[in-house]
Coordinates of all heavy atoms in Angstrom, one line a residue:
M265 N -94.4 79.1 -112.0 CA -95.8 78.6 -111.6 C -96.7 79.1 -112.8 O -96.7 80.2 -113.2 CB -96.2 79.3 -110.3 CG -97.6 79.0 -109.9 SD -98.1 79.7 -108.3 CE -97.7 78.3 -107.3
N266 N -97.5 78.1 -113.3 CA -98.4 78.5 -114.3 C -99.7 78.9 -113.8 O -100.0 78.9 -112.6 CB -98.6 77.3 -115.3 CG -99.2 76.1 -114.7 OD1 -100.1 76.2 -113.8 ND2 -98.8 74.9 -115.1
R267 N -100.6 79.4 -114.7 CA -101.9 80.0 -114.2 C -102.7 79.0 -113.4 O -103.3 79.3 -112.4 CB -102.7 80.4 -115.4 CG -104.0 81.0 -115.1 CD -104.7 81.6 -116.3 NE -106.1 81.9 -116.0 CZ -106.5 83.1 -115.5 NH1 -105.6 84.0 -115.2 NH2 -107.7 83.3 -115.3
A268 N -102.7 77.7 -113.8 CA -103.5 76.7 -113.1 C -103.0 76.6 -111.6 O -103.8 76.4 -110.7 CB -103.5 75.4 -113.8
D269 N -101.7 76.7 -111.4 CA -101.2 76.6 -110.1 C -101.6 77.7 -109.2 O -102.0 77.5 -108.1 CB -99.7 76.5 -110.1 CG -99.2 75.1 -110.7 OD1 -100.0 74.2 -110.8 OD2 -98.0 75.1 -111.2
W270 N -101.4 79.0 -109.7 CA -101.7 80.1 -108.8 C -103.2 80.3 -108.6 O -103.7 80.8 -107.6 CB -101.0 81.4 -109.2 CG -101.4 82.0 -110.5 CD1 -100.7 81.9 -111.7 CD2 -102.4 82.9 -110.8 NE1 -101.3 82.7 -112.6 CE2 -102.4 83.3 -112.1 CE3 -103.5 83.4 -110.0 CZ2 -103.3 84.2 -112.7 CZ3 -104.4 84.3 -110.6 CH2 -104.3 84.7 -111.9
T271 N -104.1 79.8 -109.6 CA -105.5 80.0 -109.4 C -106.0 79.0 -108.3 O -107.0 79.3 -107.7 CB -106.3 79.8 -110.7 OG1 -105.9 78.5 -111.2 CG2 -106.0 80.9 -111.7
T272 N -105.3 78.0 -108.0 CA -105.7 77.1 -106.9 C -105.1 77.6 -105.6 O -105.7 77.3 -104.5 CB -105.1 75.6 -107.1 OG1 -103.7 75.7 -107.2 CG2 -105.8 75.0 -108.3
T273 N -104.1 78.4 -105.6 CA -103.5 79.0 -104.4 C -104.4 80.2 -103.9 O -104.7 80.3 -102.7 CB -102.1 79.6 -104.6 OG1 -101.3 78.5 -105.1 CG2 -101.5 80.2 -103.4
L274 N -104.9 81.0 -104.8 CA -105.7 82.2 -104.4 C -106.9 81.9 -103.5 O -107.2 82.7 -102.6 CB -106.1 83.0 -105.6 CG -105.0 83.8 -106.2 CD1 -105.5 84.5 -107.5 CD2 -104.4 84.8 -105.3
P275 N -107.7 80.9 -103.8 CA -108.9 80.6 -102.9 C -108.6 80.4 -101.4 O -109.4 80.6 -100.6 CB -109.6 79.4 -103.5 CG -109.1 79.4 -104.9 CD -107.7 79.9 -104.9
R276 N -107.3 80.0 -101.1 CA -106.9 79.8 -99.7 C -106.5 81.1 -99.0 O -106.3 81.1 -97.8 CB -105.8 78.8 -99.7 CG -106.1 77.4 -100.2 CD -105.0 76.5 -100.1 NE -104.0 76.9 -101.1 CZ -102.8 76.4 -101.2 NH1 -102.4 75.4 -100.4 NH2 -102.0 76.8 -102.1
L277 N -106.5 82.2 -99.8 CA -106.1 83.5 -99.2 C -107.3 84.4 -99.2 O -108.2 84.3 -100.1 CB -105.0 84.1 -100.1 CG -103.7 83.2 -100.3 CD1 -102.7 83.9 -101.2 CD2 -103.0 83.0 -98.9
A278 N -107.3 85.3 -98.3 CA -108.4 86.3 -98.2 C -107.9 87.7 -97.7 O -106.9 87.7 -97.0 CB -109.4 85.8 -97.2
V279 N -108.6 88.7 -98.1 CA -108.2 90.0 -97.6 C -108.4 90.1 -96.1 O -109.3 89.5 -95.6 CB -109.2 91.1 -98.3 CG1 -109.0 92.5 -97.7 CG2 -108.9 91.2 -99.8
G280 N -107.4 90.7 -95.5 CA -107.4 90.7 -94.0 C -106.6 89.6 -93.3 O -106.3 89.7 -92.2
M281 N -106.3 88.6 -94.1 CA -105.5 87.4 -93.6 C -104.1 87.8 -93.3 O -103.5 88.5 -94.1 CB -105.6 86.3 -94.6 CG -104.9 85.1 -94.2 SD -105.0 83.9 -95.6 CE -105.8 82.6 -94.8
V282 N -103.5 87.3 -92.2 CA -102.1 87.5 -92.0 C -101.4 86.4 -92.6 O -101.7 85.2 -92.5 CB -101.8 87.5 -90.4 CG1 -100.3 87.7 -90.2 CG2 -102.6 88.7 -89.8
V283 N -100.4 86.7 -93.4 CA -99.6 85.8 -94.2 C -98.1 86.0 -94.0 O -97.7 87.1 -93.5 CB -99.9 85.8 -95.7 CG1 -101.3 85.4 -96.0 CG2 -99.6 87.2 -96.3
Y284 N -97.3 85.1 -94.4 CA -95.9 85.2 -94.3 C -95.4 85.2 -95.7 O -95.7 84.3 -96.5 CB -95.2 84.1 -93.5 CG -93.7 84.2 -93.4 CD1 -93.2 85.1 -92.4 CD2 -92.8 83.6 -94.2 CE1 -91.9 85.2 -92.2 CE2 -91.5 83.8 -94.1 CZ -91.0 84.6 -93.1 OH -89.6 84.8 -92.9
D285 N -94.6 86.3 -96.1 CA -94.1 86.4 -97.4 C -92.7 85.8 -97.4 O -91.8 86.4 -96.8 CB -94.1 87.9 -97.9 CG -93.6 88.1 -99.3 OD1 -93.1 87.1 -99.9 OD2 -93.8 89.2 -99.8
R286 N -92.5 84.7 -98.1 CA -91.2 84.0 -98.1 C -90.2 84.8 -98.9 O -89.0 84.7 -98.6 CB -91.3 82.6 -98.7 CG -92.1 81.7 -97.8 CD -92.2 80.3 -98.3 NE -93.1 80.2 -99.5 CZ -94.3 79.7 -99.4 NH1 -94.8 79.2 -98.2 NH2 -95.1 79.6 -100.4
H287 N -90.6 85.6 -99.8 CA -89.6 86.4 -100.6 C -89.0 87.5 -99.8 O -87.8 87.8 -99.9 CB -90.4 87.0 -101.8 CG -89.4 87.7 -102.8 ND1 -89.1 89.0 -102.6 CD2 -88.8 87.3 -103.9 CE1 -88.3 89.4 -103.6 NE2 -88.1 88.4 -104.4
Y288 N -89.8 88.2 -99.0 CA -89.3 89.3 -98.1 C -89.0 88.8 -96.7 O -88.6 89.6 -95.9 CB -90.3 90.4 -98.1 CG -90.4 91.2 -99.4 CD1 -91.2 90.8 -100.4 CD2 -89.5 92.2 -99.6 CE1 -91.2 91.5 -101.6 CE2 -89.5 92.9 -100.8 CZ -90.3 92.5 -101.8 OH -90.3 93.2 -103.0
D289 N -89.3 87.6 -96.4 CA -89.1 87.0 -95.0 C -89.7 87.8 -93.9 O -89.1 88.1 -92.9 CB -87.6 86.9 -94.8 CG -86.9 85.9 -95.6 OD1 -87.5 84.8 -95.9 OD2 -85.7 86.1 -96.0
M290 N -91.0 88.1 -94.1 CA -91.7 88.8 -93.0 C -93.2 88.7 -93.2 O -93.7 88.5 -94.3 CB -91.3 90.3 -93.0 CG -91.6 91.1 -94.1 SD -91.0 92.8 -93.8 CE -90.9 93.4 -95.5
P291 N -93.9 88.7 -92.0 CA -95.4 88.6 -92.0 C -96.0 89.9 -92.4 O -95.4 91.0 -92.3 CB -95.7 88.3 -90.6 CG -94.6 88.8 -89.8 CD -93.4 88.8 -90.6
A292 N -97.2 89.9 -93.0 CA -98.0 91.0 -93.4 C -99.4 90.7 -93.5 O -99.8 89.5 -93.4 CB -97.5 91.5 -94.8
T293 N -100.3 91.7 -93.7 CA -101.7 91.5 -93.9 C -102.1 91.7 -95.4 O -101.6 92.6 -96.0 CB -102.5 92.5 -93.0 OG1 -102.0 92.3 -91.7 CG2 -104.0 92.2 -93.1
I294 N -102.9 90.8 -95.9 CA -103.4 91.0 -97.3 C -104.3 92.1 -97.3 O -105.3 92.2 -96.6 CB -104.0 89.7 -97.8 CG1 -103.0 88.5 -97.8 CG2 -104.7 89.9 -99.2 CD1 -103.6 87.2 -98.2
A295 N -104.0 93.1 -98.2 CA -104.9 94.3 -98.4 C -105.7 94.1 -99.7 O -106.9 94.6 -99.7 CB -104.0 95.5 -98.5
D296 N -105.2 93.4 -100.7 CA -106.0 93.3 -101.9 C -105.3 92.2 -102.8 O -104.3 91.7 -102.5 CB -106.0 94.7 -102.7 CG -107.1 94.8 -103.7 OD1 -107.9 93.9 -103.8 OD2 -107.1 95.9 -104.3
F297 N -106.0 92.0 -103.9 CA -105.4 91.0 -104.9 C -105.4 91.7 -106.3 O -106.2 92.6 -106.6 CB -106.3 89.8 -105.1 CG -106.3 89.0 -103.8 CD1 -107.3 89.1 -102.9 CD2 -105.3 88.0 -103.6 CE1 -107.3 88.3 -101.7 CE2 -105.3 87.3 -102.5 CZ -106.3 87.4 -101.5
D298 N -104.4 91.4 -107.1 CA -104.3 91.9 -108.5 C -103.8 90.8 -109.3 O -102.6 90.6 -109.5 CB -103.3 93.1 -108.5 CG -103.2 93.8 -109.9 OD1 -104.1 93.5 -110.7 OD2 -102.3 94.6 -110.1
G299 N -104.7 90.0 -109.9 CA -104.4 88.8 -110.6 C -103.6 87.8 -109.7 O -104.1 87.5 -108.6
P300 N -102.5 87.4 -110.1 CA -101.7 86.4 -109.3 C -100.9 87.2 -108.2 O -100.3 86.5 -107.3 CB -100.8 85.8 -110.3 CG -100.5 86.8 -111.3 CD -101.8 87.5 -111.4
M301 N -101.0 88.5 -108.1 CA -100.3 89.3 -107.1 C -101.1 89.5 -105.9 O -102.3 89.7 -106.0 CB -99.8 90.6 -107.7 CG -98.9 90.4 -109.0 SD -97.5 89.4 -108.8 CE -96.5 90.5 -107.8
V302 N -100.5 89.5 -104.8 CA -101.1 89.8 -103.5 C -100.6 91.1 -103.0 O -99.3 91.3 -103.0 CB -100.8 88.7 -102.5 CG1 -101.5 88.9 -101.2 CG2 -101.2 87.3 -103.0
C303 N -101.4 92.0 -102.7 CA -101.0 93.4 -102.2 C -101.0 93.2 -100.6 O -102.0 92.9 -100.0 CB -102.0 94.4 -102.6 SG -102.2 94.5 -104.3
L304 N -99.8 93.5 -100.1 CA -99.5 93.3 -98.7 C -99.2 94.6 -98.0 O -98.7 95.5 -98.6 CB -98.3 92.3 -98.5 CG -98.5 90.9 -99.1 CD1 -97.2 90.2 -99.1 CD2 -99.6 90.2 -98.4
T305 N -99.5 94.6 -96.7 CA -99.2 95.8 -95.9 C -98.8 95.4 -94.5 O -99.1 94.3 -94.0 CB -100.5 96.7 -95.8 OG1 -100.2 97.9 -95.1 CG2 -101.6 96.0 -95.1
R306 N -98.0 96.3 -93.9 CA -97.5 96.1 -92.5 C -98.0 97.3 -91.7 O -98.3 98.4 -92.2 CB -96.0 96.1 -92.5 CG -95.3 95.0 -93.3 CD -94.7 94.0 -92.6 NE -93.7 94.4 -91.6 CZ -93.1 93.6 -90.8 NH1 -93.4 92.3 -90.8 NH2 -92.1 94.0 -90.0
P307 N -98.1 97.1 -90.3 CA -98.6 98.2 -89.5 C -97.8 99.5 -89.6 O -98.3 100.6 -89.3 CB -98.4 97.6 -88.1 CG -98.4 96.2 -88.2 CD -97.8 95.9 -89.6
T308 N -96.5 99.4 -90.0 CA -95.7 100.6 -90.2 C -96.0 101.4 -91.4 O -95.5 102.5 -91.6 CB -94.2 100.2 -90.3 OG1 -94.1 99.3 -91.4 CG2 -93.8 99.5 -89.0
G309 N -96.9 100.9 -92.3 CA -97.3 101.6 -93.5 C -96.6 101.1 -94.7 O -96.9 101.4 -95.8
L310 N -95.6 100.2 -94.5 CA -95.0 99.5 -95.7 C -96.0 98.7 -96.5 O -96.8 98.0 -95.9 CB -93.9 98.6 -95.2 CG -93.1 97.8 -96.2 CD1 -92.3 98.8 -97.2 CD2 -92.2 96.8 -95.6
K311 N -96.0 98.9 -97.8 CA -96.9 98.2 -98.7 C -96.0 97.7 -99.9 O -95.1 98.3 -100.3 CB -97.9 99.2 -99.3 CG -98.8 99.7 -98.2 CD -99.8 100.7 -98.8 CE -100.6 101.3 -97.6 NZ -101.7 102.2 -98.1
W312 N -96.4 96.5 -100.3 CA -95.7 95.9 -101.5 C -96.6 94.8 -102.1 O -97.6 94.5 -101.5 CB -94.3 95.3 -101.1 CG -94.3 94.0 -100.3 CD1 -94.2 92.8 -100.7 CD2 -94.5 93.9 -98.8 NE1 -94.2 91.9 -99.7 CE2 -94.4 92.6 -98.5 CE3 -94.7 94.8 -97.8 CZ2 -94.5 92.1 -97.2 CZ3 -94.8 94.4 -96.5 CH2 -94.7 93.0 -96.2
R313 N -96.2 94.3 -103.2 CA -96.9 93.2 -103.9 C -96.0 92.0 -104.0 O -94.8 92.2 -104.3 CB -97.3 93.7 -105.3 CG -98.4 94.8 -105.3 CD -98.7 95.4 -106.6 NE -98.2 94.7 -107.7 CZ -98.8 94.4 -108.9 NH1 -100.1 94.7 -109.0 NH2 -98.3 93.7 -109.8
S314 N -96.5 90.9 -103.9 CA -95.8 89.6 -104.1 C -96.7 88.6 -104.8 O -97.9 88.7 -104.8 CB -95.4 89.0 -102.7 OG -94.3 89.6 -102.2
H315 N -96.0 87.7 -105.5 CA -96.8 86.7 -106.2 C -97.4 85.8 -105.1 O -96.8 85.5 -104.1 CB -95.9 85.9 -107.1 CG -96.6 85.1 -108.1 ND1 -97.2 83.8 -107.8 CD2 -96.9 85.3 -109.4 CE1 -97.8 83.4 -108.8 NE2 -97.7 84.2 -109.8
C316 N -98.6 85.3 -105.4 CA -99.4 84.5 -104.4 C -98.6 83.3 -104.0 O -98.8 82.7 -103.0 CB -100.8 84.2 -104.9 SG -100.8 83.1 -106.4
A317 N -97.7 82.8 -104.9 CA -97.0 81.6 -104.6 C -95.9 81.8 -103.5 O -95.5 80.8 -102.9 CB -96.3 81.1 -105.9
S318 N -95.6 83.1 -103.3 CA -94.6 83.3 -102.3 C -95.1 83.6 -100.9 O -94.4 83.8 -99.9 CB -93.7 84.5 -102.7 OG -94.3 85.7 -102.6
V319 N -96.5 83.5 -100.7 CA -97.1 83.8 -99.4 C -97.8 82.5 -98.9 O -98.2 81.7 -99.7 CB -98.1 85.0 -99.4 CG1 -97.4 86.2 -99.8 CG2 -99.3 84.7 -100.3
R320 N -97.8 82.4 -97.6 CA -98.5 81.3 -97.0 C -99.2 81.8 -95.7 O -98.8 82.9 -95.2 CB -97.6 80.1 -96.7 CG -96.5 80.6 -95.7 CD -95.8 79.4 -95.1 NE -94.6 79.8 -94.3 CZ -94.6 80.4 -93.1 NH1 -95.8 80.7 -92.5 NH2 -93.5 80.7 -92.5
P321 N -100.2 81.1 -95.2 CA -100.8 81.6 -93.9 C -99.7 81.7 -92.9 O -98.9 80.8 -92.8 CB -101.8 80.5 -93.6 CG -102.2 80.0 -95.0 CD -100.9 80.0 -95.8
A322 N -99.8 82.7 -92.1 CA -98.8 82.9 -91.0 C -99.0 82.0 -89.9 O -100.2 81.6 -89.6 CB -98.9 84.4 -90.5
T323 N -98.0 81.6 -89.2 CA -98.1 80.7 -88.0 C -98.5 81.6 -86.9 O -98.5 82.9 -87.0 CB -96.7 80.1 -87.7 OG1 -95.8 81.2 -87.3 CG2 -96.1 79.3 -88.8
A324 N -98.9 81.0 -85.8 CA -99.3 81.8 -84.6 C -98.1 82.7 -84.1 O -98.3 83.8 -83.8 CB -99.6 80.8 -83.4
Y325 N -96.9 82.2 -84.2 CA -95.7 83.0 -83.8 C -95.6 84.2 -84.7 O -95.4 85.4 -84.3 CB -94.4 82.2 -83.9 CG -93.2 83.0 -83.7 CD1 -92.7 83.3 -82.5 CD2 -92.5 83.5 -84.8 CE1 -91.6 84.1 -82.3 CE2 -91.3 84.2 -84.6 CZ -90.9 84.6 -83.4 OH -89.8 85.3 -83.2
E326 N -95.8 84.0 -86.0 CA -95.7 85.2 -87.0 C -96.8 86.2 -86.8 O -96.6 87.4 -87.0 CB -95.7 84.6 -88.4 CG -94.4 83.8 -88.7 CD -94.5 82.8 -89.8 OE1 -95.6 82.6 -90.3 OE2 -93.4 82.3 -90.3
Q327 N -98.0 85.7 -86.4 CA -99.1 86.6 -86.2 C -98.8 87.4 -84.9 O -99.1 88.6 -84.9 CB -100.4 85.8 -85.9 CG -100.9 85.2 -87.2 CD -102.1 84.3 -87.0 OE1 -102.9 84.5 -86.0 NE2 -102.4 83.4 -87.9
R328 N -98.2 86.8 -83.9 CA -97.9 87.6 -82.7 C -96.8 88.6 -83.0 O -96.8 89.7 -82.5 CB -97.4 86.6 -81.6 CG -98.5 85.8 -80.9 CD -98.0 85.1 -79.7 NE -96.8 84.3 -79.9 CZ -96.9 83.0 -80.2 NH1 -98.0 82.4 -80.5 NH2 -95.7 82.3 -80.4
Q329 N -95.8 88.2 -83.9 CA -94.8 89.1 -84.3 C -95.4 90.3 -85.0 O -95.0 91.5 -84.7 CB -93.9 88.3 -85.3 CG -92.7 89.1 -85.7 CD -91.8 88.3 -86.8 OE1 -92.4 87.5 -87.5 NE2 -90.6 88.6 -86.8
L330 N -96.4 90.2 -85.8 CA -97.0 91.3 -86.5 C -97.7 92.2 -85.5 O -97.6 93.4 -85.6 CB -97.9 90.8 -87.6 CG -98.4 91.8 -88.6 CD1 -97.2 92.4 -89.4 CD2 -99.4 91.3 -89.6
R331 N -98.4 91.6 -84.6 CA -99.1 92.4 -83.5 C -98.1 93.2 -82.7 O -98.4 94.3 -82.3 CB -100.0 91.5 -82.6 CG -101.2 91.0 -83.3 CD -102.2 90.4 -82.3 NE -101.7 89.3 -81.6 CZ -101.8 88.0 -82.0 NH1 -102.3 87.7 -83.1 NH2 -101.2 87.0 -81.2
A332 N -97.0 92.5 -82.4 CA -95.9 93.2 -81.6 C -95.4 94.4 -82.3 O -95.1 95.5 -81.8 CB -94.8 92.3 -81.2
I333 N -95.2 94.3 -83.6 CA -94.7 95.4 -84.5 C -95.7 96.5 -84.5 O -95.4 97.7 -84.4 CB -94.4 94.9 -85.9 CG1 -93.2 94.0 -85.9 CG2 -94.2 96.1 -86.9 CD1 -93.0 93.2 -87.2
A334 N -97.0 96.2 -84.6 CA -98.1 97.2 -84.6 C -98.1 97.9 -83.2 O -98.2 99.2 -83.2 CB -99.4 96.5 -84.8
K335 N -97.9 97.2 -82.1 CA -97.9 97.9 -80.8 C -96.7 98.8 -80.7 O -96.8 99.9 -80.2 CB -97.9 96.8 -79.7 CG -98.0 97.3 -78.3 CD -98.1 96.2 -77.3 CE -98.1 96.8 -75.9 NZ -98.2 95.7 -74.9
L336 N -95.5 98.3 -81.1 CA -94.3 99.1 -81.0 C -94.5 100.4 -81.9 O -94.1 101.5 -81.4 CB -93.1 98.3 -81.4 CG -91.8 99.1 -81.4 CD1 -91.4 99.5 -80.0 CD2 -90.7 98.1 -82.0
H337 N -95.0 100.2 -83.1 CA -95.1 101.3 -84.0 C -96.1 102.4 -83.4 O -95.8 103.6 -83.4 CB -95.6 100.9 -85.3 CG -95.8 101.9 -86.3 ND1 -94.7 102.6 -86.9 CD2 -96.9 102.5 -86.9 CE1 -95.1 103.5 -87.7 NE2 -96.4 103.5 -87.8
A338 N -97.2 101.9 -82.8 CA -98.2 102.8 -82.1 C -97.5 103.6 -81.0 O -97.7 104.8 -80.8 CB -99.4 102.1 -81.7
Q339 N -96.7 102.9 -80.2 CA -96.0 103.5 -79.0 C -95.1 104.6 -79.5 O -95.0 105.7 -79.0 CB -95.2 102.5 -78.2 CG -96.1 101.6 -77.4 CD -95.3 100.5 -76.7 OE1 -94.1 100.3 -77.0 NE2 -95.9 99.8 -75.7
R340 N -94.3 104.3 -80.6 CA -93.4 105.2 -81.1 C -94.0 106.4 -81.7 O -93.5 107.6 -81.6 CB -92.4 104.6 -82.1 CG -91.5 103.6 -81.5 CD -90.5 103.1 -82.4 NE -89.5 102.3 -81.7 CZ -88.6 101.5 -82.3 NH1 -88.6 101.4 -83.6 NH2 -87.8 100.8 -81.6
R341 N -95.2 106.2 -82.3 CA -95.9 107.4 -82.9 C -96.4 108.3 -81.8 O -96.5 109.5 -82.0 CB -97.1 106.9 -83.8 CG -96.6 106.2 -85.1 CD -97.7 106.0 -86.0 NE -98.1 107.3 -86.5 CZ -99.2 107.4 -87.2 NH1 -99.9 106.4 -87.6 NH2 -99.6 108.6 -87.6
R342 N -96.8 107.7 -80.6 CA -97.2 108.5 -79.5 C -96.0 109.2 -78.8 O -96.2 110.0 -77.9 CB -98.0 107.7 -78.5 CG -99.4 107.3 -79.0 CD -100.2 106.7 -77.8 NE -99.5 105.6 -77.1 CZ -99.6 104.3 -77.4 NH1 -100.3 103.9 -78.3 NH2 -98.9 103.5 -76.6
G343 N -94.8 108.7 -79.1 CA -93.7 109.3 -78.4 C -93.4 108.6 -77.1 O -92.6 109.1 -76.3
S344 N -94.0 107.4 -76.9 CA -93.8 106.7 -75.6 C -93.0 105.4 -75.9 O -93.2 104.7 -76.9 CB -95.1 106.3 -75.1 OG -95.0 105.4 -74.0
T345 N -92.0 105.2 -75.1 CA -91.2 104.0 -75.2 C -91.4 103.0 -74.1 O -90.9 101.9 -74.0 CB -89.7 104.3 -75.3 OG1 -89.3 105.0 -74.1 CG2 -89.4 105.0 -76.5
S346 N -92.3 103.4 -73.1 CA -92.6 102.5 -71.9 C -93.7 101.6 -72.3 O -94.6 101.9 -73.0 CB -92.9 103.3 -70.7 OG -94.1 104.1 -71.0
P347 N -93.6 100.3 -71.8 CA -94.7 99.4 -72.1 C -96.0 99.7 -71.4 O -96.0 100.4 -70.4 CB -94.1 98.0 -71.6 CG -93.0 98.4 -70.6 CD -92.6 99.8 -71.0
E348 N -97.1 99.3 -72.0 CA -98.4 99.6 -71.4 C -98.8 98.6 -70.4 O -98.5 97.5 -70.4 CB -99.4 99.7 -72.5 CG -99.2 100.9 -73.4 CD -100.2 101.0 -74.5 OE1 -101.2 100.2 -74.5 OE2 -100.1 101.8 -75.4

């Protein structure tokens, strides 16, 4: 992907947006940008960078998946395994 291609991709992305990273096959939230790289984070604390060409807006299912991971992670941190 050349510079012209990724500069047209970046305006469709925003900090706080839930995206799906095709390279890592998982949804995440955009934390920041670094040139053509997107800084991503998961509720578990996992952080990584991917090229903007490998991310796309998350589907409703993928957004629910990320929320479920956040809920499970919070339950485990509290030491509770029962649903709320």
Side-chain angles (χ1 to χ4, degrees):
M265 175 177 268
N266 64 35
R267 180 178 170 84
D269 292 337
W270 67 260
T271 55
T272 59
T273 300
L274 284 178
R276 295 181 292 175
L277 304 175
V279 171
M281 178 184 241
V282 177
V283 294
Y284 185 82
D285 185 349
R286 291 183 287 258
H287 185 273
Y288 287 92
D289 292 325
M290 61 182 160
T293 303
I294 296 177
D296 201 3
F297 295 95
D298 184 13
M301 303 303 287
V302 180
C303 303
L304 302 171
T305 186
R306 300 250 304 173
T308 58
L310 176 65
K311 297 177 183 183
W312 73 97
R313 292 171 13 134
S314 283
H315 196 278
C316 66
S318 73
V319 300
R320 60 163 172 75
T323 65
Y325 173 81
E326 292 158 348
Q327 291 177 21
R328 287 191 307 272
Q329 183 183 27
L330 195 63
R331 284 193 303 270
I333 290 166
K335 184 176 179 179
L336 177 62
H337 183 68
Q339 286 174 347
R340 288 185 175 171
R341 289 191 70 190
R342 286 192 310 266
S344 170
T345 57
S346 61
E348 292 180 6

